[in-house]
Amino acid sequence: MKILVVDDEPDVRTLFEQRFRREIRSGQFSFSFAYSGEEALEYLHAHPSEVVLILSDINMPGMSGLELLRHIRAEYPAPPPPQVMMITAYGDQDSHDQALRLGADDFLTKPVDFVALKAKLAAMEPHEN
Amino acid sequence: MNVNTSLVIPIALSMLAVRWLRQLLNLPTRLPQINRLLDWIWVPGVALLALSVGWDSSLLDEVYQLFVFGVVLYVLVRCQDYRPARTLVLALAPFVAYSLIELLVAAFGKSLLKSYDEVFETSQGFTIIWLVSFVLIARNQKKHLERELAEREKEAAEKRRIEAENSQLERMVAERTATLTQQTQELQHALDELKTTQDQLIQSEKMASLGELTAGIAHEIQNPLNFVTNFSDVSAELVQELLEEQQRPERDPDLEAELLSDLRQNLEKIHHHGQRAASIVRGMLEHSRQSTGERQPTDVNNLADEYLRLAYHGLRAKNKAFNATITTFFDPAVGSIDAVSQDLGRVLLNLFTNAFYAVQKRQEADGAGYVPTVSVTTHRNRAGEVEIRVKDNGTGIPADVQQKIFQPFFTTKPTGEGTGLGLSLSYDIVTKGHGGTLEVESTAGVGTEFIITLPA
């Protein structure tokens, strides 16, 4: 399963690669990283219908995570649409509601609970099959 | 009864003379006792009159006359300090002498009188003329003295008046001085209070900007702390995996080396993010502390970057929907300059906060299609001066407002949102504190650029 992680913090990459090293090693998940909303869209354009899940931070300079979500929902309506999970440091209700309204599949708060995230990802896999 | 009428006229004349003398010499005030005795001048005359009843004595009037003259001369001598009195003595002297001689001649040598009759007649005329002349002179002298006295009194009165006026003036001056001194003290007091208030305002402005920062700071600390936590957790997993690996009969040295390398990397990351959080806390403390005013080498690019993040996250924490494109153009040639870093930081924070505020306002007005953009550019020019430009594409500042933005307490923000001190303090910090300039270029509806220029 191909996952695109969008966050303006470069160390997120190291963190994900270590947290999911076993899954990566076994080929269960493969991760790509983008450091801004714009970069994420470019990646999606370059790799159409490869990415199954997008994990995106909301608060980023330039295009925000919510803006990215809007673009994704507008550009990739065809089934199956990629799953999008929003991550934010501000776990407020407004962002949560807005994300869901824009079509987010899930909403996570920082610091990311990787145990819970892994469980969610595992639950998603049967859908793919 | 044979009354000697020749005495009646001298008595009456003596009383008239006494009256006239009193008036001329001011006897009631000059010689009050003698003045009272003079009331009795007629008594010797009447006594002589009584004695002469039935006794022919044609000389009695002469005797009485001499007595009166004696009295008058005595009075005049007593008043010799007074010039008209001396003149009267001179006036009377020949007449009295003549009268005395006449009496003596009449009494003892009637023959002599006869032979020198003509001489006596002439002398009498002369003494009378002499008397009258000198009496007139005495009168003039008196008038003259009175005039002088009146003038002196007038002068004295004038002097007293001037003295009174002077003392009045002095009193007024003293009063005025006292009032002025009091006013000066009151003003000094008011000035001291104003200075205290100003210090308090500056401190509260600092605190207000710190309050705006709180959310940004929280976010900025939360991020590195998340990394610290996550990298610690994942490191614990790595250690566990390493231990498990070591238990295996067939160990994979490559995997163990990779795990150890990851562990070392993670420890570096933990250290790095811990430092990041610490530096933010340090910056926050520096910002709230009273400025020491000491200049220290300050990395301008770092300072600008740090406060840009704080300002951005501060605003976004308040307005979650807000997002802006931030571009930074940091000239590496800028390096370090001698500056009071917390003061310069406050200036930058203020400019960034204003820029974000302006783009946020425009976004609220323009809505979709508008890309809020804030950029910061540093540059060291040929003269070695450091320029920091903070530019936004926000609402812009109308020309009439531009002139006022550096004035204390001027604010376009709603009551309670701005103290109106931010830019005025920033201006003081840049110009007075660092010898630089702070300029603004702005067009309403297009955007604003603030340019800080600091000397090399």
Side-chain angles (χ1 to χ4, degrees):
Chain A
M1 186 166 81
K2 185 140 188 149
I3 300 165
L4 176 64
V5 180
V6 189
D7 200 309
D8 57 328
E9 292 272 3
D11 279 348
V12 164
R13 178 182 196 133
T14 319
L15 191 64
F16 269 80
E17 283 176 347
Q18 288 195 16
R19 281 289 193 180
F20 289 96
R21 68 194 176 284
R22 281 182 174 146
E23 289 81 356
I24 293 168
R25 232 182 278 147
S26 71
Q28 189 188 357
F29 299 137
S30 98
F31 285 94
S32 296
F33 297 88
Y35 301 112
S36 71
E38 291 86 347
E39 214 180 295
L41 278 181
E42 271 174 42
Y43 184 89
L44 289 174
H45 292 156
H47 307 84
S49 53
E50 270 181 34
V51 177
V52 177
L53 172 67
I54 296 157
L55 281 171
S56 177
D57 187 17
I58 289 180
N59 309 111
M60 292 180 293
M63 185 189 290
S64 75
L66 294 173
E67 196 72 14
L68 174 65
L69 175 59
R70 208 195 328 264
H71 276 282
I72 292 169
R73 288 293 174 246
E75 289 182 37
Y76 304 96
Q83 299 268 312
V84 181
M85 283 191 192
M86 302 311 294
I87 308 170
T88 179
Y90 311 112
D92 60 299
Q93 198 60 38
D94 270 7
S95 306
H96 184 260
D97 293 351
Q98 206 182 350
L100 293 187
R101 210 167 39 244
L102 287 169
D105 296 282
D106 212 333
F107 190 85
L108 304 173
T109 52
K110 284 184 177 180
V112 175
D113 180 347
F114 281 91
V115 178
L117 179 61
K118 277 184 187 181
K120 284 188 182 191
L121 294 182
M124 275 175 62
E125 276 193 299
H127 288 282
E128 196 193 4
N129 296 338
Chain B
M1 201 162 91
N2 181 16
V3 175
N4 194 342
T5 50
S6 64
L7 260 173
V8 175
I9 293 163
I11 288 170
L13 281 175
S14 75
M15 289 175 76
L16 279 173
V18 162
R19 246 183 95 181
W20 182 78
L21 203 62
R22 275 179 176 153
Q23 205 184 350
L24 188 81
L25 299 180
N26 259 335
L27 286 181
T29 48
R30 210 180 290 271
L31 295 168
Q33 274 185 319
I34 290 173
N35 180 54
R36 273 197 300 279
L37 283 174
L38 284 177
D39 282 342
W40 306 98
I41 193 82
W42 54 274
V43 173
V46 172
L48 282 174
L49 196 66
L51 284 173
S52 68
V53 170
W55 176 48
D56 173 49
S57 57
S58 56
L59 296 178
L60 276 178
D61 61 331
E62 306 277 337
V63 171
Y64 177 68
Q65 202 175 319
L66 272 175
F67 166 74
V68 171
F69 283 140
V71 168
V72 168
L73 279 174
Y74 171 73
V75 169
L76 289 174
V77 168
R78 287 290 302 268
C79 296
Q80 61 183 313
D81 288 343
Y82 189 51
R83 203 167 156 217
R86 291 200 300 278
T87 312
L88 279 180
V89 172
L90 200 62
L92 273 177
F95 190 72
V96 173
Y98 170 79
S99 298
L100 186 64
I101 291 166
E102 197 185 36
L103 180 67
L104 288 174
V105 170
F108 306 111
K110 289 195 174 174
S111 55
L112 199 66
L113 191 66
K114 239 171 206 164
S115 50
Y116 290 102
D117 196 29
E118 238 173 273
V119 177
F120 273 100
E121 288 292 318
T122 319
S123 300
Q124 192 181 23
F126 169 75
T127 54
I128 287 167
I129 290 165
W130 177 276
L131 176 69
V132 170
S133 311
F134 274 86
V135 163
L136 287 175
I137 289 170
R139 273 187 56 180
N140 279 339
Q141 279 175 342
K142 180 185 156 71
K143 274 182 192 165
H144 185 68
L145 280 173
E146 274 175 352
R147 250 200 325 273
E148 265 185 8
L149 191 71
E151 264 171 31
R152 266 206 300 277
E153 268 172 9
K154 213 168 124 191
E155 273 170 17
E158 184 73 5
K159 211 172 140 190
R160 274 198 302 278
R161 195 179 60 79
I162 288 168
E163 272 170 7
E165 268 177 14
N166 276 348
S167 72
Q168 168 85 355
L169 278 173
E170 266 167 29
R171 212 183 61 240
M172 280 164 74
V173 167
E175 273 173 17
R176 198 92 187 91
T177 310
T179 316
L180 283 172
T181 311
Q182 199 195 349
Q183 279 174 348
T184 311
Q185 279 171 350
E186 279 169 7
L187 282 174
Q188 186 61 45
H189 186 63
L191 190 66
D192 288 347
E193 275 187 356
L194 274 174
K195 277 184 183 155
T196 313
T197 313
Q198 191 184 33
D199 288 348
Q200 284 168 350
L201 274 171
I202 290 171
Q203 189 60 24
S204 72
E205 161 66 24
K206 233 187 246 183
M207 286 303 159
S209 61
L210 190 68
E212 279 178 16
L213 284 183
T214 319
I217 288 165
H219 180 264
E220 283 293 282
I221 294 174
Q222 188 63 50
N223 260 346
L225 284 182
N226 287 344
F227 279 112
V228 170
T229 317
N230 277 314
F231 278 115
S232 311
D233 286 354
V234 84
S235 295
E237 281 177 21
L238 292 177
V239 169
Q240 185 59 36
E241 199 177 336
L242 193 60
L243 285 172
E244 282 168 15
E245 198 59 34
Q246 282 175 339
Q247 301 298 315
R248 289 186 190 216
E250 289 166 31
R251 289 166 64 174
D252 182 345
D254 286 349
L255 182 64
E256 281 180 26
E258 193 196 316
L259 288 171
L260 282 170
S261 150
D262 280 355
L263 270 172
R264 195 172 62 194
Q265 189 194 11
N266 288 358
L267 289 174
E268 278 167 13
K269 298 270 181 212
I270 289 169
H271 179 79
H272 167 74
H273 287 287
Q275 287 296 306
R276 207 176 124 192
S279 105
I280 291 158
V281 171
R282 207 166 37 241
M284 184 179 74
L285 289 176
E286 262 182 25
H287 184 81
S288 62
R289 200 180 299 146
Q290 284 280 8
S291 168
T292 55
E294 260 179 55
R295 293 199 197 184
Q296 282 168 339
T298 304
D299 188 317
V300 175
N301 291 344
N302 267 357
L303 194 74
D305 193 42
E306 192 181 314
Y307 278 98
L308 181 63
R309 285 166 159 280
L310 288 177
Y312 179 56
H313 290 297
L315 184 63
R316 212 167 46 179
K318 278 199 285 189
N319 181 1
K320 306 290 187 313
F322 176 72
N323 216 63
T325 300
I326 299 172
T327 43
T328 56
F329 304 99
F330 290 138
D331 177 3
V334 166
S336 286
I337 59 162
D338 274 343
V340 189
S341 62
Q342 62 258 59
D343 284 356
L344 197 57
R346 279 172 55 206
V347 174
L348 289 167
L349 177 66
N350 185 247
L351 297 183
F352 293 145
T353 310
N354 286 348
F356 285 124
Y357 185 85
V359 293
Q360 187 199 4
K361 284 285 154 205
R362 186 162 169 198
Q363 190 180 38
E364 282 170 12
D366 288 15
Y370 168 71
V371 183
T373 308
V374 173
S375 74
V376 54
T377 309
T378 60
H379 174 59
R380 195 184 274 275
N381 66 19
R382 279 184 203 154
E385 294 169 331
V386 169
E387 272 179 19
I388 309 169
R389 289 167 177 265
V390 178
K391 191 176 180 179
D392 66 68
N393 65 344
T395 47
I397 308 166
D400 57 324
V401 175
Q402 275 181 44
Q403 297 163 352
K404 299 180 200 157
I405 55 170
F406 295 119
Q407 289 172 9
F409 304 111
F410 179 80
T411 180
T412 56
K413 293 181 184 174
T415 312
E417 275 193 43
T419 57
L421 283 173
L423 276 177
S424 100
L425 285 178
S426 295
Y427 189 82
D428 281 357
I429 288 169
V430 172
T431 56
K432 290 183 195 159
H434 292 86
T437 58
L438 178 58
E439 289 162 58
V440 62
E441 285 170 13
S442 184
T443 312
V446 176
T448 304
E449 183 171 34
F450 279 95
I451 305 138
I452 304 172
T453 310
L454 298 169

